[in-house]
Amino acid sequence: MSTALGAPAPAGSVAWTPAAEAERVMSVFVSPVAGIVRRVFERTRDTDDLYAYSVGSEACDTRIVLGTACNQVNGGGGPSRQGAWLAAVGETVERYSGAWVPFDLLEYGTRGELAGRGLECLSPDDYTPFADWQYDRPDADHVRFTEQTWIPWVQSRRLGDGALVWIPAQPVYLRADLMDVNPVAYATSNGLAYGSTEDEALVGALLELVERDAVMLAWYKALSMPLIDPPPIPVSPPTWTGTWPPRAAGPRWST
């Protein structure tokens, strides 16, 4: 048994799951008694939020079933109520799944030790999660990922050529206890996605990485959003009605 994703289907060969079918399947996850998702609720928009539907979802207490806590409150948004519901439920299932680790399928050791077992592993030259100055800080929380770093590994599939490659498990799963020895990276939900099929989950994960990369570039480089020059909108000036509301709360205007 392998934790690696199956070989992706050829582009365009598999139809995307219709929203109604996705909702039918995902409704199984929602139950206040035995569901991964305990409840789903609509959320109000803030004044500067996108004018769209927003749905929140609450996860079950995973400390009981997984031995660790997962992200409790999640959510989703979209131009339709159904799409927002699907996104909210999917995110909770995604975070729940990220906290579940198949410990019996992990390998433990240094990269050299795994290579000695005939396993292809990610090279430290290809994965540098932090800059040197971050490692050199006296309060640094992480250690350098080197050929001699003892860590847990998980099998993955390299999309470029389909090869099976073992990679550090710490940034893959949302489990703090994987960081107990030689923490080499943060565990985040970047690139983590739910889908009705493996291919849909893969597409969602890749698009999230592209999205986060764009956001981080704009954030750290202090880039401005694209500027637009909208046409003027004619507005009639307000007119005084000549009456005051009770208790002199302010003049009443009409347009």
Side-chain angles (χ1 to χ4, degrees):
M1 187 175 179
S2 172
T3 55
L5 189 71
S13 63
V14 180
W16 202 267
T17 304
E21 175 64 12
E23 184 176 7
R24 183 190 68 80
V25 173
M26 295 174 69
S27 63
V28 175
F29 300 127
V30 183
S31 167
V33 178
I36 292 177
V37 183
R38 294 182 56 188
R39 67 187 184 101
V40 182
F41 50 92
E42 292 203 30
R43 301 184 296 194
T44 58
R45 292 181 297 272
D46 206 342
T47 54
D48 58 350
D49 282 346
L50 181 69
Y51 193 78
Y53 291 96
S54 180
V55 173
S57 54
E58 181 182 334
C60 64
D61 187 353
T62 56
R63 293 173 299 178
I64 300 174
V65 292
L66 300 182
T68 191
C70 76
N71 203 62
Q72 195 71 18
V73 180
N74 308 285
S80 70
R81 180 177 280 107
Q82 182 187 51
W85 186 93
L86 293 173
V89 174
E91 185 170 81
T92 294
V93 176
E94 162 201 313
R95 302 298 171 83
Y96 175 94
S97 301
W100 180 80
V101 180
F103 288 101
D104 57 325
L105 297 179
L106 302 184
E107 290 282 345
Y108 299 84
T110 66
R111 183 172 183 266
E113 290 171 343
L114 266 67
R117 302 172 203 165
L119 304 178
E120 182 178 356
C121 303
L122 179 70
S123 169
D125 295 335
D126 296 326
Y127 183 60
T128 53
F130 299 101
D132 287 338
W133 67 266
Q134 292 174 298
Y135 289 118
D136 295 337
R137 292 175 53 177
D139 58 345
D141 295 324
H142 297 82
V143 301
R144 282 181 170 83
F145 174 44
T146 70
E147 296 283 346
Q148 291 75 43
T149 308
W150 190 99
I151 54 173
W153 300 76
V154 63
Q155 193 176 47
S156 68
R157 184 175 301 278
R158 190 164 55 206
L159 294 179
D161 58 7
L164 296 176
V165 181
W166 290 84
I167 61 176
Q170 293 173 353
V172 173
Y173 297 104
L174 303 179
R175 295 269 315 207
D177 50 2
L178 288 176
M179 307 288 183
D180 289 345
V181 178
N182 294 332
V184 298
Y186 286 112
T188 75
S189 64
N190 290 322
L192 187 64
Y194 168 89
S196 296
T197 66
E198 280 193 357
D199 291 284
E200 291 176 17
L202 175 60
V203 171
L206 292 174
L207 290 178
E208 181 170 270
L209 289 179
V210 174
E211 165 207 319
R212 300 293 172 85
D213 181 68
V215 170
M216 291 296 100
L217 287 175
W219 188 357
Y220 281 107
K221 290 183 176 294
L223 303 177
S224 66
M225 297 296 288
L227 302 179
I228 61 174
D229 186 17
I233 301 176
V235 178
S236 301
T239 57
W240 168 245
T241 63
T243 61
W244 290 88
R247 301 180 61 84
R252 181 177 299 152
W253 300 87
S254 64
T255 57

